[in-house]
Amino acid sequence: GRFLTAIGNGPGTGDGQFREPRDCAVDRQGQIFVSDGGNHRIEVFGRDGRYLRQFGHKGSGAGELLRAHALEFDSLGRLFVADVDNGRIDAFDNSGRFLFAWGKEGRNPGEFHAAHGIGIGPRGSVIVSNYYGPCQKFTADGKFLFDFAAPRPPDGPVYFHSMTTDSLGNVYLTARTLHHRRSSILKYDSLGKRVTEWSLAGDHHVEDVAVDISGTVYATFRGKEKMGVEVYSSK
């Protein structure tokens, strides 16, 4: 938890600036990719935080974005982007070249209802969480496999803001109840079976989640008095 450095040149639309940054991912070379949701683009920084380049712009065409949210690299180095308002998943190489996309807005299997989170399974499967549920699993080229983690109103989880996966393919979802009175993290196995769930402390609203190689879980939160990271053991 010791602070090291920060990246970005503050709010704005210029190079290295952000307007509603949503997620970040790191490629094999250590380059840091940030989804700049409000500017409808992906910005790329070096491992030292120096601005390098950007790609994507506002629109619905191939390679264009409308409120980019979650980012995740697969083992082939392809970057998958949850393109919220286009209702799809976009794939790019790490130079920003558009590769392919799949999905559309809807509530049927394989369609997206505000896709927000992305995770990659050990065999290259792509797991996508919809903000309004459920979570869906696809092949690496976008073929629908199954869904899980349906919302449980009124007192159970309803809104799923983000997610991640671990090396075993377990899925960790950040969730909020109907009236945002409680935030929790839900854990499912690679087949979509619920493993466990736990609530965040106090009135904290969970935002994002990450899992390191040892299974330690890190959750970013915001509350009335403070914002920060809560750390949980997997044991």
Side-chain angles (χ1 to χ4, degrees):
R2 182 172 60 90
F3 176 76
L4 298 176
T5 188
I7 65 172
N9 300 320
T13 60
D15 293 350
Q17 294 183 316
F18 302 122
R19 190 158 68 95
E20 300 179 4
R22 295 295 183 172
D23 199 9
C24 61
V26 181
D27 70 7
R28 295 174 180 174
Q29 290 74 46
Q31 296 180 116
I32 304 164
F33 290 67
V34 180
S35 55
D36 188 11
N39 286 320
H40 311 287
R41 65 187 180 184
I42 308 297
E43 295 198 85
V44 187
F45 300 81
R47 61 174 67 242
D48 59 356
R50 178 173 53 91
Y51 171 81
L52 298 177
R53 62 187 184 278
Q54 62 182 272
F55 58 91
H57 57 271
K58 186 177 182 179
S60 298
E64 296 177 333
L65 301 165
L66 282 179
R67 194 157 56 107
H69 204 275
L71 305 176
E72 192 68 64
F73 281 100
D74 70 2
S75 62
L76 300 177
R78 299 179 300 186
L79 178 67
F80 291 87
V81 181
D83 192 352
V84 181
D85 293 331
N86 277 323
R88 67 192 184 198
I89 302 300
D90 300 312
F92 300 85
D93 66 17
N94 74 340
S95 69
R97 181 172 63 94
F98 174 75
L99 299 175
F100 59 90
W102 79 83
K104 65 178 182 179
E105 182 67 29
R107 302 191 184 188
N108 296 315
E111 297 176 344
F112 298 115
H113 194 27
H116 264 54
I118 293 182
I120 304 295
R123 297 182 180 179
S125 58
V126 180
I127 301 95
V128 181
S129 61
N130 292 297
Y131 183 75
Y132 300 103
C135 196
Q136 303 176 90
K137 190 170 186 177
F138 299 85
T139 63
D141 57 358
K143 179 182 177 181
F144 175 78
L145 296 174
F146 60 85
D147 59 29
F148 61 97
R152 305 198 306 267
D155 298 322
V158 173
Y159 305 115
F160 305 103
H161 189 260
S162 62
M163 62 154 292
T164 193
T165 52
D166 64 19
S167 60
L168 299 177
N170 295 309
V171 175
Y172 300 77
L173 285 165
T174 66
R176 301 169 188 166
T177 55
L178 187 61
H179 300 292
H180 298 275
R181 293 173 179 165
R182 183 171 63 88
S183 287
S184 58
I185 297 173
L186 317 179
K187 182 179 179 179
Y188 293 82
D189 67 16
S190 61
L191 298 177
K193 181 180 178 181
R194 179 183 173 276
V195 177
T196 188
E197 67 179 79
W198 67 91
S199 298
L200 268 67
D203 63 349
H204 296 168
H205 285 184
V206 65
E207 297 288 342
D208 206 352
V209 63
V211 182
D212 69 15
I213 194 170
S214 69
T216 301
V217 179
Y218 302 80
T220 57
F221 71 88
R222 60 183 173 88
K224 294 180 179 179
E225 302 296 331
K226 60 182 179 179
M227 303 174 71
V229 179
E230 291 188 355
V231 185
Y232 300 90
S233 169
S234 61
K235 299 179 181 180

